[in-house]
Amino acid sequence: MYAINSNTLDFQLLRVLSDGKIHTYKTLSSKLNCTSLSVFQSIQVALNYGIEISLINGFGVFWSRPFVWINEGAINTFLKDQKIFFNLTKFNLLDSTNSYLIRNKSVYLKHGTIPVIVSELQTKGRGTSNRNWFSNLGGCLTFSILWQYKHKIQHLPSLGLVVGVSLIRVFRNLALTSVHLKWPNDLLYKNKKFGGILIECNTNEQISTAVIIGIGVNFKLSSNLASLVDYAVTDLYEITGYMLDRNQILALFLIELRHVLNTFENYGFHVFRNEWQSYHIYQGQNIVLRLPNRLNVEGIVDGVQDDGSLTLITSSGRKNFNVGEISLRAKS
Ligand code: BTN
């Protein structure tokens, strides 16, 4: 019998239930080699995680709308001949895919392929400005890649901008024409955020720069998640009306990311500038920036620079603002 941890999700149980059929406690306990009580307890944990398992009183359970799991085989199928470029590792549960790569960077450095870490669920997902990044099981895509540059890169913030370009390209190719970027790299639909990018690197490295690029995209948020953040959120289900395949989207992201990051390394940000600006929801608009010293600056957005800074035309002239603890909002 395997021990059930009363707080952690039982992924074995969920995988059995994802056939959508009715299962009795008895058959589940024998399949999973545990007691019916353990099965019952695991189901309570899953319910607490917002997984919609239906109980048939005293008899059994079924999961009527199971999600499609992240699956390496499926991702590789979508990657087709490009799968050789990536070294994919999938976890059920991690604190954070970025934190995992930070801890295990040395294991992955020097490999010829691009390490990709994807987790079904993160328990301590991290966002920009030391915020949390919340996600629910099956409803989000959370992954990180380790990208190694041959040379020390100059402008890390503009790297974040080109990552945003790659994600928007994927969505627009799927006919989601109304998705936009908000400087520096939030993914927006109608002023609601549905994805974000967290770039981390060790700036002490002299020869090469290994950059960890973490991406989180909401596919179908559980109702309680929206209340945990202080900004408007949405998900791809609300945008499109259906559940997109996370395996396919991950594969499309990886193909585009590799292409864009190579181009960025060879030619710099300027080849992306016009495209980035065309995706920016606030291009040419009057906005307010809140600076780290809590001062507000008002101005019209006049684009971005090679170092990733945002240019505003303010009452005291044209000014550039660096990516930092700055928050941007439309002028009301
Ligand atoms: C943001 O605040 O907009 C950035 C969110 C980045 C979230 C992703 S999810 C995968 C990776 N792991 C993390 O802990 N964070 C990033």
Side-chain angles (χ1 to χ4, degrees):
M1 295 254 172
Y2 72 95
I4 296 261
N5 180 331
S6 58
N7 291 316
T8 53
L9 270 171
D10 185 342
F11 281 88
Q12 253 184 294
L13 168 72
L14 291 176
R15 280 180 193 278
V16 174
L17 292 181
S18 47
D19 64 5
K21 293 180 181 159
I22 296 174
H23 295 264
T24 64
Y25 290 110
K26 201 163 164 239
T27 53
L28 285 173
S29 66
S30 96
K31 260 196 188 127
L32 300 169
N33 195 23
C34 64
T35 63
S36 295
L37 179 64
S38 292
V39 172
F40 180 78
Q41 286 168 341
S42 295
I43 285 165
Q44 298 309 311
V45 175
L47 289 170
N48 289 340
Y49 270 86
I51 298 163
E52 292 166 349
I53 294 171
S54 306
L55 310 179
I56 308 167
N57 258 350
F59 174 71
V61 292
F62 70 102
W63 189 6
S64 58
R65 281 177 296 168
F67 51 77
V68 177
W69 294 91
I70 299 281
N71 175 287
E72 283 117 315
I75 297 164
N76 281 329
T77 305
F78 287 117
L79 284 171
K80 299 187 192 144
D81 53 348
Q82 300 234 11
K83 66 170 181 257
I84 53 163
F85 297 120
F86 303 97
N87 170 14
L88 197 73
T89 312
K90 191 225 122 181
F91 290 88
N92 284 329
L93 201 63
L94 273 184
D95 51 350
S96 144
T97 53
N98 265 37
S99 305
Y100 175 85
L101 266 180
I102 290 170
R103 286 194 301 270
N104 295 284
K105 203 158 104 174
S106 56
V107 177
Y108 292 99
L109 285 172
K110 296 192 189 80
H111 280 236
T113 47
I114 304 160
V116 181
I117 306 296
V118 52
S119 186
E120 280 288 1
L121 191 62
Q122 296 186 131
T123 51
K124 283 191 187 141
R126 295 184 293 110
T128 51
S129 309
N130 288 327
R131 278 196 288 256
N132 294 318
W133 182 261
F134 298 104
S135 46
N136 55 299
L137 187 69
C140 302
L141 176 61
T142 49
F143 73 101
S144 304
I145 71 167
L146 182 66
W147 184 264
Q148 291 174 71
Y149 279 94
K150 290 175 206 77
H151 310 287
K152 201 164 162 52
I153 57 158
Q154 294 278 315
H155 302 303
L156 204 57
S158 53
L159 173 81
L161 302 192
V162 300
V163 171
V165 165
S166 69
L167 305 184
I168 294 290
R169 279 187 187 174
V170 167
F171 290 123
R172 298 232 174 164
N173 285 340
L174 294 170
L176 302 181
T177 48
S178 301
V179 295
H180 286 96
L181 291 168
K182 175 183 155 191
W183 184 82
N185 39 31
D186 287 352
L187 298 177
L188 287 202
Y189 175 78
K190 293 190 176 164
N191 280 318
K192 293 190 209 168
K193 180 164 170 170
F194 71 96
I197 298 160
L198 179 65
I199 310 258
E200 296 180 290
C201 90
N202 182 353
T203 44
N204 293 329
E205 283 161 11
Q206 293 301 313
I207 307 158
S208 74
T209 307
V211 188
I212 291 161
I213 302 171
I215 294 169
V217 175
N218 304 334
F219 278 63
K220 194 167 192 271
L221 290 176
S222 57
S223 48
N224 62 328
L225 274 195
S227 61
L228 295 175
V229 292
D230 58 1
Y231 50 85
V233 287
T234 188
D235 55 37
L236 289 167
Y237 187 80
E238 193 182 358
I239 298 169
T240 62
Y242 55 93
M243 190 65 188
L244 290 167
D245 183 343
R246 293 178 300 155
N247 295 306
Q248 181 182 19
I249 300 292
L250 175 55
L252 295 174
F253 280 167
L254 293 177
I255 292 168
E256 197 57 44
L257 270 168
R258 180 176 161 271
H259 174 63
V260 156
L261 292 170
N262 274 325
T263 309
F264 177 69
E265 182 160 16
N266 291 329
Y267 302 101
F269 179 69
H270 70 274
V271 293
F272 295 101
R273 186 192 285 122
N274 286 344
E275 184 178 359
W276 190 92
Q277 290 175 175
S278 74
Y279 297 155
H280 191 210
I281 188 117
Y282 291 125
Q283 182 69 16
Q285 293 197 26
N286 209 4
I287 57 118
V288 177
L289 282 185
R290 181 142 221 232
L291 304 182
N293 59 8
R294 295 182 168 268
L295 286 178
N296 286 344
V297 183
E298 197 184 317
I300 294 171
V301 175
D302 193 33
V304 280
Q305 301 306 309
D306 279 356
D307 62 0
S309 60
L310 181 77
T311 304
L312 286 192
I313 300 171
T314 70
S315 55
S316 51
R318 218 163 167 270
K319 290 190 175 152
N320 295 332
F321 295 89
N322 292 318
V323 177
E325 305 287 299
I326 295 176
S327 73
L328 184 166
R329 63 180 163 81
K331 173 91 174 61
S332 47

